[in-house]
C-alpha cells in the first residue's frame, strides 16, 4: 500500500487561483483513484513560488527524508516551486529517498517532466520579466518615469480616470536646491560641506530626511546621488541596475548594467541644470576620482582642491572676520586692514610661524583622550537616535514592500495561468515601479547605520598620523597630498591680536571633531596613495568608519575650538 502526501500552495493575491482546500480535494480524489492512503497534507499560503523558504515545503522535505510517505501528490509541478533549480533539486532529493512525485494532471513525474516543465515555468517567468522590462523601457521612451520620484520633482495629479500616474514636473523649491548643490560642488565644496550647510539651514533632503554626503555624491556608475542624476539635464535613464536573485539566500541584489544596455530618453521639460554646469560638476568628479585613485567611493577626507600653502584660505581675522591673506613675501595679515583700512588688526605673522604653531597644535593638543571619550558618548547617542528613526522607517517600508511583492506575485501568477491583457500589463508595470521605488527607499533608509568603531587608542593613533603627515610635508613627492589631508582637519583658523601670545597673535583652530577622529580611525583609507605615506593597513581598523562619522557629524556636531 502506497502512502501519499499532498502538497498545496496558495498566494492570497492570485487571481483564478484554486484555494488550498480545492487543490487538496483534487489531490485526494487522485489518491483515491490510485488506491493509495493519504497520510498528511502539507501547505503553504501567501508565499512566493520562486522561493524555497516555505515552512510547509520544508516540512515536506524533512518528512520525505524520514520516509513518512512514498509519494507526493500535487495539483501542478509549479506548486512545488517555480524555480527550475529548486524543482530539480527536490526531484533528486525525493528520488534519493525513493519518494515519487505525482501531479493530478500528468501522473508520475519523471526526470524528463521535471526538465520540460521546469523549463516551461522558467521560460514563462523570463518572458514576463522581459515583457516588464520592455514595458518599462517603453515608458522611458515615452518620457514617463518608471520608478521612484527623484528629488527636484513632483507628481502631476493624473486626470480623473487615467490609469497612468507616471507624469512628473519640476518642483521649483527643490530645483533651486539641486542647482545650488551643483554650483557649490563645481565651486569646490565637498559633498560633506554642502550637506552640512543645507542641514544647518534646515532644508530637508530627499524624502524629508537630512542631507548626507552620500545623498549628494552617490555612485557615478550607478547613476545614484544628486550629482549623477541625468534627469537634471533632461535625460531619463532607466535600466542602470538590474536585480538578480541570489540562489543561495533568495535575496535580490543590484547589478550595474553596462552603459549600452541603458535606456535614455530626452525629457527637456524636466531639465534643471544647464549643460555647462553639469560638465563642470562632471569635470570635478573626474578630478576627484583621478586624485583618489580607483577607490573613489567617497572618503570625505579626500578633496580635489589643492592649495599652494598649507593654510591658504583657512586663516581669518579675529577682529573683522575677513581673510588673513599674503600681504608680503611669506607674511599673512588682515586683508581688510590692508585693503580698506576699516579693520584695526595690524598684526601680521610669517607663514612659517603660523604653520608651525598650527602643526604643533594639530599634533599635540587637538585630540586628547577626554575629547575622544566625549565624542564617543555623543556619537553613540546620535547613532542610536538615527537607528531608531531608520528602524521605524525601514519597518514601514518593508511592510509596504511585502504587500507590493504579494500583489506582484498574484499578477505574475495570473499571467502564468494565461490571463495576459493590457490591464494586467499596466498593473504589472505599476507594481514593478512601486517595488523598485520601495526598494530604493529601503536601501536609502538602511544605509546610514553601519557600525562605527573607534580605536581605543584613537588619540595616540591620531597624533602619530599627524606626525607622519608633518614629516611628509618635507618630502616633495607626497607633500601636496599630506597637505590636503592636514587641511581637512581645519575648518578655519582665527587670528586675534594678543600681546601675551607668541607673535602677538592668539591662534584659534576650529575643527570638525568628527573629521579629526575620522583620520584617527581611517588607518587603511588615507586619501590616494596611502602606501606612499607609509600607513599600513591594519585589519582591525580597516572598515572602521567608512566616512560615516562625518555624515552624522555634519548634522549635529559643533565645531571644536583649540587655542594654539
Ligand atoms: Zn581684520
Amino acid at each position: 500500500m502506497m502512502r501519499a502526501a499532498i502538497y498545496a500552495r496558495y498566494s492570497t493575491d492570485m487571481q483564478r487561483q484554486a484555494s488550498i482546500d480545492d487543490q487538496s480535494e483534487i489531490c485526494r480524489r487522485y489518491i483515491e483513484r490510485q488506491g493509495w492512503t493519504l497520510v498528511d497534507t502539507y501547505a503553504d499560503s501567501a508565499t512566493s513560488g520562486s522561493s524555497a523558504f516555505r515552512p510547509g515545503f520544508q516540512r515536506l522535505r524533512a518528512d520525505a527524508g524520514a520516509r513518512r510517505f512514498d509519494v507526493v501528490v500535487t495539483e501542478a509541478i509549479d506548486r512545488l516551486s517555480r524555480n527550475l533549480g529548486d524543482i530539480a533539486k527536490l526531484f533528486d532529493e525525493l528520488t534519493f529517498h525513493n519518494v515519487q512525485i505525482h501531479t493530478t494532471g500528468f501522473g508520475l513525474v519523471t526526470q524528463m517532466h521535471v526538465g520540460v516543465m521546469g523549463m516551461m515555468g522558467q521560460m514563462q517567468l523570463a518572458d514576463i520579466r522581459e515583457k516588464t522590462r520592455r514595458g518599462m523601457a517603453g515608458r522611458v521612451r515615452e518620457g514617463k518615469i518608471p520608478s521612484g520620484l527623484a528629488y527636484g520633482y513632483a507628481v502631476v495629479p493624473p486626470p480623473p480616470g487615467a490609469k497612468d500616474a507616471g507624469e512628473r514636473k519640476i518642483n521649483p523649491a527643490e530645483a533651486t536646491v539641486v542647482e545650488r548643490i551643483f554650483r557649490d560642488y563645481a565651486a569646490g565644496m565637498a559633498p560633506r560641506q554642502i550637506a552640512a550647510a543645507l542641514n544647518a539651514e534646515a532644508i530637508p533632503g530627499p524624502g524629508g530626511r537630512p542631507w548626507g554626503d552620500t545623498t549628494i555624491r552617490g555612485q557615478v556608475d550607478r547613476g545614484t546621488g544628486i550629482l549623477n542624476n541625468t534627469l537634471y539635464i533632461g535625460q531619463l535613464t532607466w535600466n542602470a541596475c538590474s536585480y538578480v536573485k541570489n540562489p543561495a539566500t533568495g535575496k535580490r541584489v543590484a547589478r550595474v548594467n553596462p552603459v549600452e544596455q541603458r535606456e535614455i530618453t530626452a525629457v527637456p521639460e524636466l531639465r534643471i541644470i544647464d549643460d555647462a554646469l553639469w560638465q563642470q560638476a562632471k569635470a570635478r568628479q573626474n578630478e576627484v576620482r583621478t586624485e583618489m585613485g580607483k577607490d573613489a567611493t567617497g572618503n570625505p577626507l579626500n578633496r580635489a582642491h589643492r592649495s599652494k600653502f598649507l593654510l591658504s584660505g583657512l586663516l581669518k581675522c579675529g577682529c573683522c572676520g575677513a581673510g588673513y591673506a599674503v600681504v608680503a613675501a611669506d607674511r599673512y595679515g588682515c586683508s581688510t586692514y590692508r585693503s580698506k583700512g576699516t579693520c584695526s588688526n595690524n598684526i601680521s605673522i610669517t607663514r612659517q610661524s603660523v604653520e608651525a604653531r598650527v602643526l604643533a597644535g594639530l599634533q599635540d593638543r587637538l585630540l586628547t583622550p577626554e575629547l575622544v571619550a566625549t565624542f564617543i558618548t555623543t556619537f553613540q547617542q546620535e547613532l542610536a537616535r538615527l537607528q531608531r528613526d531608520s528602524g521605524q522607517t525601514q519597518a514601514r517600508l518593508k511592510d509596504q514592500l511585502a504587500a507590493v511583492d504579494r500583489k506582484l506575485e498574484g499578477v505574475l501568477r495570473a499571467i502564468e495561468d494565461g490571463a495576459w491583457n493590457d490591464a494586467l500589463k499596466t498593473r504589472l508595470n505599476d507594481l514593478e515601479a512601486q517595488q523598485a521605488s520601495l526598494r530604493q527607499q529601503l536601501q536609502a533608509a538602511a544605509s546610514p547605520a553601519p557600525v562605527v568603531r573607534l580605536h581605543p587608542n584613537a588619540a595616540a593613533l591620531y597624533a602619530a598620523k599627524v606626525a607622519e603627515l608633518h614629516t611628509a610635508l618635507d618630502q616633495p613627492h607626497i607633500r601636496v597630498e599630506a597637505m590636503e589631508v592636514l587641511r581637512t582637519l581645519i575648518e578655519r583658523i582665527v587670528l586675534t591680536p594678543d600681546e601675551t601670545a607668541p607673535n602677538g597673535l592668539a591662534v584659534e583652530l576650529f575643527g570638525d571633531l568628527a573629521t579629526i577622529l575620522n583620520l584617527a580611525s581611517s588607518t587603511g583609507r588615507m586619501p590616494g596613495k596611502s602606501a606612499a605615506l607609509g600607513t599600513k593597513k591594519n585589519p582591525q581598523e580597516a572598515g572602521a568608519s567608512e566616512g560615516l562619522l562625518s555624515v552624522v557629524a555634519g548634522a549635529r556636531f559643533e565645531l571644536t575650538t583649540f587655542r594654539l
Side-chain angles (χ1 to χ4, degrees):
M1 175 71 79
M2 291 268 271
R3 295 165 303 161
I6 292 172
Y7 182 76
R9 181 169 64 86
Y10 176 74
S11 289
T12 43
D13 291 309
M14 291 180 184
Q15 305 175 18
R16 285 189 51 215
Q17 168 73 297
S19 71
I20 284 177
D21 284 349
D22 290 347
Q23 292 176 37
S24 303
E25 182 55 35
I26 294 166
C27 294
R28 252 195 303 277
R29 277 188 224 146
Y30 182 88
I31 292 166
E32 219 173 83
R33 279 203 303 277
Q34 306 293 326
W36 300 336
T37 313
L38 173 65
V39 292
D40 208 348
T41 298
Y42 302 82
D44 287 302
S45 52
T47 46
S48 159
S50 44
S51 163
F53 304 100
R54 291 176 259 142
F57 182 75
Q58 298 304 348
R59 202 163 60 80
L60 176 83
R61 288 178 55 200
D63 287 356
R67 295 299 326 270
R68 285 228 159 91
F69 44 76
D70 309 291
V71 56
V72 176
V73 179
T74 184
E75 190 220 12
I77 192 88
D78 64 359
R79 299 287 176 213
L80 292 168
S81 176
R82 284 224 310 269
N83 179 286
L84 174 59
D86 288 351
I87 291 175
K89 216 159 73 189
L90 180 73
F91 181 83
D92 289 347
E93 212 173 284
L94 294 185
T95 305
F96 174 74
H97 297 307
N98 226 357
V99 174
Q100 296 179 352
I101 302 175
H102 280 245
T103 66
T104 54
F106 282 89
L108 176 67
V109 173
T110 65
Q111 184 77 58
M112 191 197 74
H113 284 114
V114 171
V116 172
M117 286 186 285
M119 207 147 63
M120 278 168 62
Q122 203 79 344
M123 277 162 61
Q124 257 174 328
L125 271 185
D127 185 47
I128 291 161
R129 280 201 201 99
E130 187 48 37
K131 278 174 181 150
T132 310
R133 218 188 294 279
R134 279 206 302 273
M136 289 179 78
R139 283 163 66 83
V140 171
R141 273 190 291 275
E142 288 162 25
K144 289 171 181 167
I145 295 166
S147 61
L149 184 64
Y151 184 85
Y153 301 97
V155 181
V156 179
K163 51 183 179 173
D164 211 338
E167 301 286 349
R168 299 288 188 261
K169 63 174 181 186
I170 290 176
N171 172 332
E174 291 184 359
T176 314
V177 177
V178 171
E179 206 187 333
R180 167 178 163 178
I181 290 172
F182 273 85
R183 288 208 184 290
D184 286 350
Y185 182 74
M189 265 173 90
R192 180 180 64 85
Q193 296 171 316
I194 299 172
L198 289 167
N199 291 333
E201 291 170 46
I203 296 170
R209 291 181 301 272
W211 291 92
D213 61 346
T214 47
T215 323
I216 293 168
R217 182 191 294 118
Q219 282 179 298
V220 177
D221 57 351
R222 296 198 173 192
T224 60
I226 299 283
L227 292 171
N228 303 308
N229 192 341
T230 57
L231 207 47
Y232 298 140
I233 48 164
Q235 287 180 5
L236 183 49
T237 308
W238 182 70
N239 210 21
C241 287
S242 55
Y243 294 87
V244 281
K245 205 172 238 182
N246 178 342
T249 60
K251 296 239 155 61
R252 293 203 204 196
V253 292
R255 294 230 176 105
V256 179
N257 289 334
V259 176
E260 61 273 13
Q261 273 182 25
R262 300 181 187 180
E263 291 274 341
I264 296 173
T265 306
V267 278
E269 70 278 11
L270 295 183
R271 180 193 276 275
I272 293 176
I273 302 296
D274 63 40
D275 278 327
L277 183 54
W278 175 266
Q279 291 309 334
Q280 282 172 38
K282 292 290 128 184
R284 177 136 193 275
Q285 270 181 337
N286 278 335
E287 220 175 276
V288 171
R289 184 163 266 218
T290 314
E291 289 188 13
M292 295 195 302
K294 280 196 178 146
D295 189 22
T297 49
N299 186 320
L301 285 178
N302 292 308
R303 268 191 208 176
H305 175 76
R306 295 200 154 169
S307 311
K308 201 173 155 205
F309 297 124
L310 178 62
L311 302 176
S312 291
L314 298 173
L315 299 171
K316 307 285 174 214
C317 170
C319 300
C320 71
Y324 247 62
V326 176
V327 291
D330 272 352
R331 216 171 172 85
Y332 291 108
C334 169
S335 60
T336 310
Y337 170 80
R338 181 83 179 176
S339 59
K340 299 180 192 155
T342 50
C343 178
S344 59
N345 182 359
N346 61 354
I347 315 283
S348 64
I349 186 167
T350 64
R351 185 169 64 80
Q352 290 78 1
S353 309
V354 71
E355 283 183 1
R357 281 170 72 181
V358 167
L359 281 168
L362 281 176
Q363 194 168 329
D364 304 328
R365 314 254 306 272
L366 201 49
L367 203 58
T368 60
E370 294 74 39
L371 255 173
V372 173
T374 309
F375 180 86
I376 289 173
T377 310
T378 322
F379 181 79
Q380 278 166 346
Q381 285 164 357
E382 176 71 0
L383 197 64
R385 187 190 65 80
L386 279 177
Q387 277 169 339
R388 219 166 32 241
D389 290 0
S390 152
Q392 284 165 0
T393 308
Q394 283 182 59
R396 180 177 52 77
L397 289 170
K398 272 180 191 154
D399 284 352
Q400 288 174 358
L401 188 58
V404 169
D405 282 346
R406 277 197 302 276
K407 286 179 191 162
L408 204 52
E409 186 73 28
V411 172
L412 289 178
R413 190 50 196 248
I415 292 167
E416 267 197 320
D417 290 345
W420 179 252
N421 57 43
D422 282 349
L424 266 181
K425 184 181 160 191
T426 309
R427 181 89 179 116
L428 187 63
N429 288 345
D430 286 351
L431 286 169
E432 285 270 0
Q434 286 179 33
Q435 195 186 39
S437 160
L438 284 168
R439 284 218 182 94
Q440 214 171 31
Q441 291 178 47
L442 200 55
Q443 207 180 4
S447 56
V451 179
V452 171
R453 279 167 282 119
L454 276 175
H455 196 283
N457 214 2
L461 271 174
Y462 164 84
K465 186 150 302 167
V466 173
E468 190 182 313
L469 288 165
H470 194 166
T471 314
L473 285 178
D474 298 329
Q475 298 166 26
H477 63 295
I478 49 173
R479 174 183 158 76
V480 175
E481 207 175 333
M483 203 161 87
E484 283 309 313
V485 178
L486 285 167
R487 283 174 62 87
T488 60
L489 301 175
I490 305 164
E491 202 71 31
R492 62 181 187 275
I493 291 161
V494 176
L495 303 160
T496 316
D498 181 347
E499 284 168 16
T500 63
N503 318 102
L505 274 176
V507 175
E508 269 175 308
L509 185 144
F510 292 76
D512 183 351
L513 193 51
T515 310
I516 293 161
L517 276 163
N518 219 341
L519 180 72
S521 59
S522 69
T523 317
R525 296 182 52 94
M526 285 287 266
K529 306 83 204 160
S530 52
L533 289 170
T535 40
K536 290 181 194 76
K537 196 166 187 143
N538 179 338
Q540 280 184 323
E541 290 146 30
S545 79
E546 300 291 325
L548 175 72
L549 282 166
S550 64
V551 175
V552 176
R556 284 291 174 102
F557 284 97
E558 293 299 315
L559 292 178
T560 317
T561 322
F562 299 91
R563 220 178 142 88
L564 308 174

